[in-house]
Each structure stands twice: as structure tokens, then as C-alpha cells.
Amino acid sequence: MSENKSRLQTLFEQGEFVVTGEIGPPKAATGEGIREHAKHLQGYCDATNLTDNQTAIVRLSSIAAGIHVLRAGMEPIVQMTCRDRNRIAIQSDLLGAYSLGIKNLLCLTGDHQSFGNHPTAANVFDVDSIQLIRMVKRMRDEKVFACGEQIKHDEPRFFIGAVANPFADPFEVRVYRMEKKINAGAQFFQTQIIFDLERFERWMELVRERGLHERAYIMAGVMPVKSAKVASYMQKFVSGMIVPDDMIERLKKAENQQAEAVEICVEQIKYIKNIKGVKGVHIMAVGWEEIVPTIVEKAGLLPRPAVPGVKVAVV
Amino acid sequence: MRAHGMRQILDYEDDKDPVIQDHPEKSLGHRNSAAMQETGAAAEDVRKNQKGAAVVAYYWCRVCKIKTPATEAKSCDCGVTMCNRCWGEWDFICPLCDSDMS
């Protein structure tokens, strides 16, 4: 039933090197900015992530944002965290999202609320990301809700994604966690932003040793770092990522830091593309979405392949 | 009426001082805060102040890692949250997305 498959899944199955982008919904009740960003990415990215109250800050919902992206003619990857909903709310939202035409889902635990703008809010974490993946898979493949009750018709048939962080400690455990997610039903992965290519390569070696690259599609996360200032901030204050000193130095020495940032990102993509087992890149241009087309073009990833027969529209 | 009847019975049985079962020296709200004893506009003021105090949130500054009242901190759209003192060190320009936070 290829018509049920998303464009993203079809491209992976065709063996294409996939490109995805990311849009952070606004802290306002408007979809205008989202549609604008989606138009920027159209023709350069095969799909785009919509974050779910990222960094625990209240924003327009990821599902609503996904609909805006669909209206702009692009394919959304809706993110779903476990922080704000119990299993009843999650399943209800999944039914709603699929009924409106959303086909890609990225399951993640979510940032703790104490770091967001409602630090005293109650969290939920009724299920964790691995349980969430299993729940979505069971809804799709076994046609049952989490309680075991049958879904009598029109089950949500999501293409299930998950995240992996090769830069968190302990390093050796990261691959086991990834394997758990695959066993639970994850079909594709997007990694944390990669700056330390050496460590990423070591992680990919472990992934290949366990044959995980053949069981799921792995997309490497990249980010164009606008300036040396941004790089320094990320190195010091953003946990879970490694920003090498030489990258900061290179940006500092550059006459035009933004042009250098694009150059570095393009080099990273070209390098990553040749690592065995990597099936795509996920470009996270935080606050600099307009640069994505330039990066994709310079990295030699154009034209993006067409997928005849796959509809991208609100149902 | 029933309490009154009971008091009569007790009086009758042991001829002691009447048993007082309520405490007129304490107001009905004696277990609650002092605000409950206030009446009219004064009570309203006290309650408003209490309400205001209860909703103050604290943000964790990502840079100095100090819990800061929300009124003395700012959160950028991209997610960077800092106290005003740390924002000052970055000239009120978001170090991640370059947004103006002044």
C-alpha cells in the first residue's frame, strides 16, 4: 500500500540520501511563520521536523504546526514528547494527527520542564520514549491501543522515528539504547548535532558492529553555526554536544564568519555522506532557516528526488 | 435547636456550669490565615498579595546556573534562558539565534 507511505519513507526505501530540516513553532497563535519557513525549505528538504514545545517552552502545538507545513505543500515530521501527555492523550493526539494527513512521527522523551518557562509545571512521563515507540508500533501493526483494546478500523500507520545522541556519556551505552529503540519499532533515527566527526565515526563503527544500520535509517544531525560566538556558547553551555576548539578558531579567524559557517557545514555533510550506514542529514538551522537552501545546494544534494504517487496534503 | 436541647439535658443531669460547645472567642476562620479575619477591602488586598506571591516562577539561568525569579530573567524564542545579568554579558543578543533581547 505505497499510497499509505510517507514521502520520507519512500525515499529511504528507494535508497536516496535524504535531507530533512527543522522548524520551531512560534510562541504565538499563528501559522504564518511556519508556512513561510516551509516555503524556504521546499525543494531543498524532503521533510521537516516540527518540535514539540522544545526546551520545555510553550509554543504552538507540533501537530497544528504539521498541518501548516502540509498546507504549504511540504511533508512534516511531527515530534511527540512524553513530558506533557499521558498515554490517553498521546494516543488521542496520534489518531488526530494521522487523520489529518501526518505520516511521520519522531518519538522522544522531551526536555525536563524545570529548564523551560513553566518550571513548576507538573510533568507526566507516563511512558518513556522507548515505550512510546512500542505503543505507536502496536497501534500500527497489531491494531491495538496501549490497553490492548482493538482499533476496529483506520489505525494510524506512522513511519516511526527516534533520536540518538552519540555524544552523551557513557559513550558505549548509546548504541544499546539505540538498539532498544529499534527493537521497540523505530524505523529511522535523527542524531544530535554533530561537530566532532571523529567521535561520530567511532559511534557509527559500533552501530555497524551490531548491524543496526541495516535495521533502521540513520540521519546525521548538522547545524550551520552562524559565528564563533554561537560556537563558544554551545561549547560552554549546551549539554550533550561536543564543539571542537579548532572549529571555533576557524570561525574566529574568518573574515566572513557566516560564509565560513556555511563552508564548515557543507564540508561536514560531504564527509558524513561517505560514512557507511548514514542515509541522510538532518539540518537544524536554529534561527537561520533561510541558509538551508544554500547549504543543500553547495553540498551537492540537489535536485531533490521526486516521489510520484505520494500525496502531501491535509486530509 | 438540638444543641440547645442537649445543653439543657447536661445542665439538668449534673447541675454544673452549662457546657459550652462552641468557641465565640475564635472566629469561624481561625484555622485559616489572618486574611480570613479581615473584612471588606482590607481582606481583598491581603488575598491579592497572597495570590501574586504564589504564582512567581523561577527560571534556571543556563549560564550562571542560578535559580532566578521570572521577572529578572528572559527566555528567547529559540529556547535560551538567562538571568538579566547574564543577558547583559551577551549584550542582550541571543548567543544562539542572534535575536535582540533588550
Side-chain angles (χ1 to χ4, degrees):
Chain A
M1 295 282 284
S2 67
E3 66 270 23
N4 277 336
K5 283 183 182 170
S6 69
R7 176 183 154 80
L8 184 70
Q9 185 173 8
T10 311
L11 286 172
F12 276 130
E13 288 176 358
Q14 285 175 359
E16 300 285 353
F17 190 80
V18 173
V19 182
T20 56
E22 185 161 303
I23 298 172
K27 292 199 271 188
T30 172
E32 209 180 314
I34 299 169
R35 289 193 295 271
E36 194 114 320
H37 281 318
K39 277 176 191 160
H40 271 135
L41 301 179
Q42 212 167 7
Y44 299 95
C45 293
D46 302 309
T48 182
N49 284 30
L50 285 313
T51 55
D52 182 12
N53 294 320
Q54 74 188 83
T55 59
I57 287 173
V58 180
R59 291 160 191 281
L60 189 130
S61 94
S62 59
I63 294 172
I67 300 305
H68 287 296
V69 167
L70 274 175
R71 281 185 185 160
M74 226 193 148
E75 187 165 279
I77 303 169
V78 164
Q79 294 192 187
M80 177 72 70
T81 65
C82 307
R83 180 193 56 230
D84 309 323
R85 307 171 183 84
N86 67 8
R87 67 192 78 176
I88 300 171
I90 290 175
Q91 291 176 103
S92 167
D93 279 354
L94 293 180
L95 294 179
Y98 193 80
S99 77
L100 289 165
I102 290 162
K103 293 177 181 173
N104 306 306
L105 187 76
L106 191 82
C107 304
L108 54 169
T109 305
D111 300 319
H112 196 272
Q113 77 281 357
S114 62
F115 299 107
N117 63 354
H118 288 72
T120 51
N123 59 26
V124 182
F125 297 118
D126 182 22
V127 291
D128 66 17
S129 58
I130 297 172
Q131 290 167 324
L132 172 60
I133 293 164
R134 192 182 305 280
M135 195 165 79
V136 182
K137 185 181 190 291
R138 288 187 72 211
M139 287 174 88
R140 185 191 63 196
D141 297 347
E142 299 172 34
K143 298 184 184 183
V144 288
F145 292 110
C147 62
E149 189 191 324
Q150 203 74 27
I151 304 173
K152 288 178 184 152
H153 55 87
D154 295 313
E155 72 284 359
R157 303 197 61 78
F158 285 109
F159 182 45
I160 307 168
V163 291
N165 186 357
F167 308 102
D169 289 318
F171 178 66
E172 294 73 21
V173 171
R174 310 321 304 174
V175 178
Y176 296 122
R177 187 167 167 79
M178 185 186 180
E179 190 165 1
K180 274 187 176 183
K181 289 185 178 182
I182 293 174
N183 291 342
Q187 295 167 286
F188 73 97
F189 280 85
Q190 288 176 337
T191 74
Q192 174 63 291
I193 298 166
I194 299 160
F195 296 119
D196 186 346
L197 291 167
E198 199 184 303
R199 181 155 163 151
F200 179 66
E201 270 205 291
R202 274 196 286 135
W203 182 77
M204 277 306 296
E205 267 172 37
L206 296 176
V207 166
R208 286 194 300 269
E209 269 175 27
R210 300 190 74 80
L212 304 183
H213 65 300
E214 283 164 355
R215 295 177 60 199
Y217 305 106
I218 298 166
M219 303 185 77
V222 294
M223 178 190 175
V225 181
K226 235 176 183 177
S227 64
K229 191 180 87 168
V230 176
S232 306
Y233 175 84
M234 292 178 83
Q235 188 186 48
K236 283 185 198 155
F237 304 114
V238 181
S239 58
M241 67 174 63
I242 297 169
V243 183
D245 290 330
D246 54 356
M247 190 178 108
I248 299 173
E249 281 305 309
R250 188 173 156 186
L251 282 167
K252 270 183 190 166
K253 283 177 191 164
E255 268 180 39
N256 183 342
Q257 293 200 2
Q258 293 201 352
E260 193 67 17
V262 170
E263 207 53 49
I264 291 171
C265 190
V266 168
E267 282 172 24
Q268 284 170 341
I269 293 173
K270 284 181 177 170
Y271 188 89
I272 285 165
K273 202 179 169 193
N274 292 323
I275 298 174
K276 193 184 168 195
V278 179
K279 303 285 166 56
V281 280
H282 175 55
I283 306 170
M284 289 168 265
V286 183
W288 201 20
E289 283 85 359
E290 62 275 16
I291 201 66
V292 174
T294 311
I295 293 169
V296 175
E297 193 180 349
K298 285 193 165 190
L301 299 171
L302 290 181
R304 300 309 309 148
V307 184
V310 174
K311 282 181 196 167
V312 178
V314 181
V315 174
Chain B
M1 299 302 284
R2 199 178 162 201
H4 178 68
M6 176 67 79
R7 202 172 296 162
Q8 276 185 333
I9 291 164
L10 293 170
D11 288 348
Y12 173 78
E13 279 182 347
D14 45 19
D15 202 21
K16 287 179 185 170
D17 290 341
V19 176
I20 298 165
Q21 296 187 7
D22 57 353
H23 302 277
E25 73 276 12
K26 288 182 181 176
S27 72
L28 286 173
H30 69 275
R31 282 169 297 172
N32 297 332
S33 66
M36 297 302 287
Q37 289 180 36
E38 300 284 351
T39 54
E44 195 53 38
D45 283 349
V46 174
R47 285 192 208 107
K48 263 185 190 168
N49 287 341
Q50 283 187 334
K51 245 185 185 173
V55 294
V56 167
Y58 286 85
Y59 289 174
W60 284 104
C61 172
R62 296 283 172 96
V63 174
C64 66
K65 316 280 184 206
I66 292 173
K67 202 174 163 186
T68 313
T71 48
E72 292 163 32
K74 277 180 185 155
S75 180
C76 177
D77 275 4
C78 72
V80 172
T81 303
M82 285 193 263
C83 66
N84 288 347
R85 204 169 59 86
C86 290
W87 273 116
E89 285 174 19
W90 293 92
D91 302 324
F92 288 90
I93 301 291
C94 178
L96 211 56
C97 69
D98 272 353
S99 295
D100 185 357
M101 297 298 292
S102 53

